[in-house]
């Protein structure tokens, strides 16, 4: 916060004091003082009973009373000389009796309290929002009757305009005059406004302490929280505090019952606020505009106006409101309009008014204030005000009406700022900054961007930053549409400044600070040996104060994005930081630290993808409208929306506040819907291009694709789209038709020679290509329209075709004819080889083989366990068991290959991804149990335990079948429902366990008085009550009325030795009652509760189970697409083949083309352009739907009605003017008639002709009447 001059020199220390806990209020009296009159200066009009301060003689100290010498000398009481400061005794919260429960803040303070301290108290401690505008209403105090039109101006004009701009309104805060009108207007607007309105008006009362009625109710040296304030007869005007104000500053100058004691402090506070910055944490581009508004007023108000004008404070005078306002408006309008009046002699110094101007001023002053005695002094003040008339705006509210008052305020502030601004500045720059500050885009469109003025980039730069930081998306759109080039605006340095402007306390700020502490802490520890024993956070705090490179940079932003995006894409901004070739995090951290301690030349370079960078910045701050705007501006709308969805859902997991978490989830769902809808538009336009869109590798989003980002964002709705499922189905079936029946696949699988028959229909790639080449195209022969946007691949033949074309396109031997390259045809494989590969390389064939072989594996495992499980060596194991071991070994090899030898991720990323999958955890458990069981069964002493472990392991391997059948259209959704119901089972088991334990312990204790055997206790406490649920009730044992053929004893020694104890007879009636209650609760209550939970879960999940299944289907397709054609145990042959091809022959994999397609040059640009066109068509359709809605129609109708009302108001004004003109004409005609009659009757003048007769000017109208 910046202090104004020397007034707030201690502002920084004051803020430190005020920033304490709200519960500890003891610091306020230490820094805030009150004033008490300590010298009795006799008031001559009171016969010695009162002091000139207004207090009684008894209220003054005895020392002052006895100082007769001083009272005789001093003739005028002065607060600075005759009062002393003491700790304030009135502060805290104020509750008005009989009014609303909302509390107001109040503070009694001395008139010379530094305004910086008070402003910090109000904004930091009281929590009042920092103003975008301050309107100080001056005048209209006392019991002066406020005119009706002035009330309307205050209600419909001032308060309404202040509500739209987020303003503070300063008045006396008393229930009299203008203060009462403003309070009622604020109350009415607050009631009508939405509770979530961000631009809430703050009504601040500044009144003299000695003038407030019932002020003794506020006195409490320890502070009042709250103080009860009683107001009597609220219908009449009085000097009581108004309950519609949020805060009161009660200025104390030691006087009692005197007005004007607050004038000096109020002027200083206004001046101080006018030097503070607007926006969040003072991040705005302009100082807070302060406007003083004069309503009526006494003659003494001239001094107040003159002092403010000398500090260049703008004033708005309400002409016609009476008193001083009418005098100033008359002077400014009539004297200024007289061309013969010269206000000053310009040149070297003070203006010297001429005699004529002073006489005219004196004449007008006596006209308005005939009873004033000190006329000369007040006239001098008026002349000084006249010389600063450029800062005064006269408003005729009675004629103009209150509807355009916000525009009047804006123009008044702009008019004053123009005279303060430099000559080179644009005449509309200040007006634009004020419009941005108030967030009045309607005023900016109508007044500034109407085509009359050509805006330069330099004029919009600061306002653009202000609009971005303070979340004003409508202005951002307006600026970009009117001359601001985002490529020139957004440099990496400016992007860093935007991240530095993030508000404290937000989640993004905390994440950035953690990354900053990590970088600075590591650097500090590494660079200084003396910091070895200090924590990294302390070192970071020291480094932040020590020089360059200690602020938030793009490296911290990249770290936060890496935390949120995970392994979906490559790190952001590494290219700007020159870290793209560094894979190690530690090395990147050291390199970035070194770079940021230097000159950081990258900050002057343009941001590579400005709209995407701004989109990320807005999404990270959960700014809905701003993020949506940048999404519309950015390219790759489908991927951008999915990326925003991913970021927001990860942020919602870290957010603590419930409301913010919900808003993040809602915005994430909104972006997922946008991605779904835009892709729907693309899919309807062209199916092939939309498939290319899904697998295109994006340079903007770190080399990821729509499918990968959608999977990372958990975008289930997006994956359920028919276009996405169509692509996945084509990849799943390869070159085979998707309508192929399963029995044909099975038959061909067991009899491979059938693939050469027509049993299964395959796609013929050559025929398709010939059809495409036969179509004419403007881009040249042999190219269809889809090829301009990249080629989507679905099968092995497509991959080989693209690979061959790529190799040929880079060959210098490409045949050309008339300068046109001819399409290259790869050499055709023999039909036997190509058809064989088309069948066996399809993912569905790989899946079918794995399922069949897995069933054989389970059969072999079951045979070994049941029939052929031999004793430990040397007797066993059997041959079938060795085959089982080898089979499991091949399965483990395939798991290792999938985890560590696919993709380009680091080892840690691969392990983390593997562990995150539930079925991979199941595999780990199965392999671990198998190794333990295999190891234990090889030894005699653990043989039985090993066999038991393998039996349990067989169950785990069998449960793995559930994941395999997730691909099935009917079984997949049901598997999801079963998974959801498992959570309900755990909740049910919790309730059941509590009730079962309660009944089991009580039942065992009542039946058997003594039974120390733990095995029997466990069975009878837990196991037997569990069996009761299913109807297995041992009545003979529980009911003593039944015969029990069990030998028992009551001998304690025998019981300790393991004998069966006898039942207790006398409490058996209670056992039967407990059994009845237990069965009633478990079999009726808890079981039905479980059924109800299952029903609710089924109904809830069934509607979305298809979406869940389609989402999970992607993972299974990717898994089996990457697998070799052979299934375990024959997969070992494929592993050997892959090892030879990848390691020895260095042949790269081509299957990756199915899910990642690299496009560049014209192909990528054309695809992006096509996607952008589809997005614009979608947004246009959405706008049409929105405009056709009832709410939009009502808005347009209200605008038209307002326009009609405005025209009617203007026509009424014209009617008034015409009537006035008619009256003037009638008077003139009567006067001329009188002159003619007089001259005709006299004998002095004899005319040569008679007077003219009156002709009928409107014969038609007269005839009609």
């Amino acid at each position: 916060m910046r202090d104004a001059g020397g007034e707030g020199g201690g502002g920084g220390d004051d803020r430190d004091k005020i920033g304490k806990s709200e519960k500890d209020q003891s610091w306020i009296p230490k820094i805030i003082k009150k004033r008490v009159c300590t010298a009795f200066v006799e008031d001559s009009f009171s016969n010695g009973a009162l002091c000139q301060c207004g207090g009684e003689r008894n209220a003054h100290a005895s020392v002052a009373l006895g100082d007769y010498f001083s009272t005789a000398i001093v003739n005028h009481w002065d607060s600075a000389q005759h009062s002393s400061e003491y700790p304030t005794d009135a502060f805290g919260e104020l509750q008005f009796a009989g009014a609303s429960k909302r509390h107001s803040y109040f503070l009694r303070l001395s008139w010379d309290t530094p305004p910086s301290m008070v402003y910090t108290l109000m904004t930091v401690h009281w929590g009042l929002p920092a103003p975008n505008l301050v309107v100080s209403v001056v005048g209209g105090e006392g019991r002066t009757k406020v005119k009706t039109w002035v009330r309307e101006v205050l209600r419909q004009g001032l308060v309404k305009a202040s509500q739209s701009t987020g303003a503070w309104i300063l008045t006396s805060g008393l229930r009299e005059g203008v203060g009462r009108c403003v309070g009622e207007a604020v109350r009415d607007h607050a009631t009508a406004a939405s509770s979530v309105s961000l631009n809430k008006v703050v009504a601040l009362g500044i009144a003299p302490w000695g003038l407030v009625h019932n002020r003794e109710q506020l006195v409490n040296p320890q502070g009042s929280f709250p103080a009860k304030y009683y107001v009597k007869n609220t219908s009449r005007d009085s000097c009581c505090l108004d309950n519609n104000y949020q805060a009161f500053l009660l200025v104390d100058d030691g006087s009692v019952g005197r007005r004007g004691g607050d004038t000096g402090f109020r002027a200083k506070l206004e001046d101080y606020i006018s030097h503070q910055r607007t926006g969040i944490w003072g991040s705005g581009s302009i100082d807070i505009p302060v406007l003083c508004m004069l309503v009526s007023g006494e003659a003494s108000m001239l001094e107040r106006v003159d002092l403010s004008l000398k500090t260049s404070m703008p004033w708005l005078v309400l002409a016609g409101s009476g008193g001083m306002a009418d005098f100033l408006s008359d002077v400014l309008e009539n004297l200024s309009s007289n061309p013969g009046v010269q206000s000053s002699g310009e040149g070297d110094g003070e203006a010297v008014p001429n005699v004529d101007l002073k006489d005219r001023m004196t004449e007008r002053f006596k006209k308005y204030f005939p009873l004033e005695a000190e006329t000369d002094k007040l006239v001098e003040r008026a002349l000084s005000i006249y010389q600063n008339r450029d800062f005064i705006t006269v408003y005729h509210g009675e004629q103009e009406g209150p509807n355009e008052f916000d525009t009047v305020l804006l123009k008044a502030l702009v008019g004053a700022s123009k005279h303060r601004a430099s000559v080179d500045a644009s005449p509309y720059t200040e007006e634009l900054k004020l419009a941005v500050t108030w967030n009045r885009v309607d005023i900016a469109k109508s007044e500034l961007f109407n085509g009359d003025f050509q805006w330069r980039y330099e004029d919009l730069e600061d306002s653009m930053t202000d609009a971005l930081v303070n979340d004003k998306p409508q202005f951002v759109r307006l600026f970009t549409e009117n001359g601001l080039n985002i490529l020139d605006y957004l440099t990496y340095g400016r992007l860093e400044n935007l991240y530095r402007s993030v508000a404290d306390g937000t989640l993004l700020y905390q994440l950035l600070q953690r990354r900053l502490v990590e970088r600075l802490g590591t650097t500090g520890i590494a660079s200084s040996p003396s910091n070895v024993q200090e924590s990294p956070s302390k070192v970071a705090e020291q480094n932040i104060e020590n020089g360059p490179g200690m602020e938030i940079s793009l490296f911290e932003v990249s770290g936060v994005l890496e935390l949120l995006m995970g392994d979906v894409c490559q790190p952001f901004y590494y290219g700007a930081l020159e870290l793209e070739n560094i894979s190690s995090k530690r090395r990147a951290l050291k390199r970035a630290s070194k770079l940021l301690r230097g000159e950081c030349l990258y900050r002057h370079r343009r941001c590579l993808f400005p709209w995407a960078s701004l989109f990320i910045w807005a999404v990270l701050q959960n700014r809905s409208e701003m993020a949506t705007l940048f999404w519309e501006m950015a390219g790759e709308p489908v991927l951008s929306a999915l990326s925003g969805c991913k970021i927001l859902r990860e942020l919602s997991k870290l957010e603590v506040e419930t409301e913010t978490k919900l808003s993040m989830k809602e915005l994430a769902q909104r972006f997922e819907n946008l991605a779904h809808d835009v892709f729907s538009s693309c899919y309807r336009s062209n199916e092939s291009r939309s498939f290319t869109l899904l697998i295109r590798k994006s340079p903007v989003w770190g080399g990821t694709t729509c499918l990968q980002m959608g999977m990372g964002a958990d975008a289930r709705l997006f994956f359920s789209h028919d276009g996405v499922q169509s692509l996945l189905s084509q990849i799943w079936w390869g070159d085979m038709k998707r309508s192929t029946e399963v029995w044909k696949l099975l038959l061909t699988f067991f009899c491979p020679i059938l693939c050469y028959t027509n049993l299964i229909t395959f796609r013929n790639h050559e025929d398709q290509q010939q059809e495409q080449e036969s179509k004419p195209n403007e881009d040249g022969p042999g190219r269809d329209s889809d090829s301009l946007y990249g080629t989507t691949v679905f099968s092995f033949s497509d991959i080989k075709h693209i690979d061959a074309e790529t190799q040929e396109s880079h060959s210098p031997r490409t045949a050309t004819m008339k300068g046109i390259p001819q399409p290259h045809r790869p050499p055709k494989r023999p039909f036997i080889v190509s058809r064989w590969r088309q069948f066996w390389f399809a993912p569905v064939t790989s899946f079918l083989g794995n399922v069949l072989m897995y069933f054989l594996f389970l059969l072999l495992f079951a045979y070994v366990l049941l029939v052929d499980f031999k004793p430990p060596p040397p007797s066993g194991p059997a041959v079938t068991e060795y085959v089982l071991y080898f089979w499991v070994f091949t399965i483990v090899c395939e798991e290792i290959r999938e985890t560590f030898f696919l993709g380009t991720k680091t080892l840690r990323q691969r392990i983390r991804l593997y562990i995150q999958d539930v079925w991979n955890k199941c595999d780990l458990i199965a392999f671990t149990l198998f190794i333990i069981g295999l190891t234990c069964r090889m030894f005699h002493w653990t043989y039985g335990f090993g066999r038991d472990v393998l039996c349990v392991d067989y169950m785990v391997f069998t449960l793995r079948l559930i994941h395999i059948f997730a691909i099935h259209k009917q079984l997949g959704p049901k598997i999801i429902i079963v998974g959801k119901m498992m959570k309900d089972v755990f909740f049910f088991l919790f309730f059941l366990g509590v009730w079962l334990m309660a009944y089991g312990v009580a039942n065992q204790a009542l039946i058997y008085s003594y039974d120390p055997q733990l095995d029997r206790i466990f069975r009878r406490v837990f196991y037997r009550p569990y069996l009761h649920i299913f109807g297995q009730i041992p009545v003979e044992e529980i009911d003593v009325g039944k015969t029990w053929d069990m030998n028992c004893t009551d001998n304690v020694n025998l019981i300790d030795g393991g004998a069966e104890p006898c039942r207790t007879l006398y409490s058996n009636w209670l056992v039967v009652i407990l059994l009845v209650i237990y069965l009633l609760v478990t079999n009726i209550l808890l079981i039905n509760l479980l059924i109800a939970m299952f029903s609710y879960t089924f109904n809830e999940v069934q509607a979305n189970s298809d979406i869940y299944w389609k989402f999970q289907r992607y993972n299974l397709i990717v898994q089996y697409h990457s697998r070799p054609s052979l299934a375990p145990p024959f997969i070992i042959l494929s592993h050997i083949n892959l090892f030879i091809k990848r390691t020895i022959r260095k042949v790269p994999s081509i299957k990756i083309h199915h899910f990642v397609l690299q496009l560049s040059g014209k192909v990528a640009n054309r695809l992006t352009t096509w996607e952008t066109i589809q997005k614009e068509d979608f947004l246009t359709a959405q706008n049409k739907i929105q405009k056709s809605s009832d709410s939009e129609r009502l808005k347009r109708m209200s605008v038209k009605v307002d326009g009609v009302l405005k025209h009617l108001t203007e026509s009424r004004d014209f009617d008034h003017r015409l009537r006035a003109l008619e009256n003037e004409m009638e008077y003139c005609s009567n006067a001329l008639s009188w002159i003619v009659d007089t001259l005709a009757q006299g004998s002095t003048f004899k005319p040569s002709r008679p007077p003219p007769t009156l002709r009928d000017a409107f014969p038609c109208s007269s005839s009609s009447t």
Side-chain angles (χ1 to χ4, degrees), residues 507 652 654-658 661:
L507 177 61
S652 65
L654 303 175
E655 182 60 55
V656 179
E657 296 183 4
T658 305
K661 183 191 292 285

Side-chain angles (χ1 to χ4, degrees), residues 11 32 40 54 93 138 162 251 273 304 330 408 433 437 514 602 605 656 701 732 884 903 977 993 1098:
I32 305 294
F40 182 82
E93 297 178 1
V138 180
S162 301
V251 183
I273 296 177
R304 169 83 166 85
D330 184 15
V408 174
K433 290 181 178 179
T437 302
R514 288 179 197 169
Y602 75 91
R605 298 203 305 265
V656 179
W701 294 97
W732 178 249
L884 178 66
I977 293 176
F1098 182 84

Side-chain angles (χ1 to χ4, degrees), residues 139-154:
E141 300 175 355
R143 303 199 175 183
T144 306
K145 185 173 180 59
V146 182
K147 297 181 179 180
T148 305
W149 68 268
V150 175
R151 290 176 178 270
E152 289 302 314
V153 167
L154 294 176

Side-chain angles (χ1 to χ4, degrees), residues 884-955:
L884 178 66
Y885 297 162
F886 177 74
W887 204 318
V888 174
F889 170 74
T890 57
I891 296 176
V892 173
C893 289
E894 175 58 21
E895 289 290 324
I896 294 174
R897 187 194 69 84
E898 288 182 355
T899 306
F900 298 101
F901 295 99
L902 284 180
T904 58
K905 297 181 174 62
T906 62
L907 180 62
R908 188 179 65 175
Q909 291 173 345
R910 295 173 193 271
I911 296 175
R912 184 167 65 241
L913 281 177
Y914 183 82
I915 296 297
Q916 286 176 354
D917 188 79
V918 177
W919 295 109
N920 288 335
K921 296 176 182 176
C922 181
D923 290 338
L924 282 178
I925 295 173
F927 298 148
T928 305
L929 291 176
F930 192 86
I931 293 172
I932 295 173
L934 172 61
T935 305
C936 293
R937 67 99 56 223
M938 293 297 177
F939 304 97
H940 289 279
W941 60 88
T942 56
Y943 170 78
F945 176 75
R947 188 176 186 279
D948 297 341
V949 171
L950 288 176
C951 292
V952 175
D953 191 32
Y954 178 80
M955 293 180 61

Side-chain angles (χ1 to χ4, degrees), residues 490-502:
L490 193 66
T491 60
Y492 286 115
R494 183 162 278 147
L495 183 60
E496 287 183 348
N497 290 331
L498 290 177
Y499 278 102
R500 290 168 191 160
S501 67
V502 175

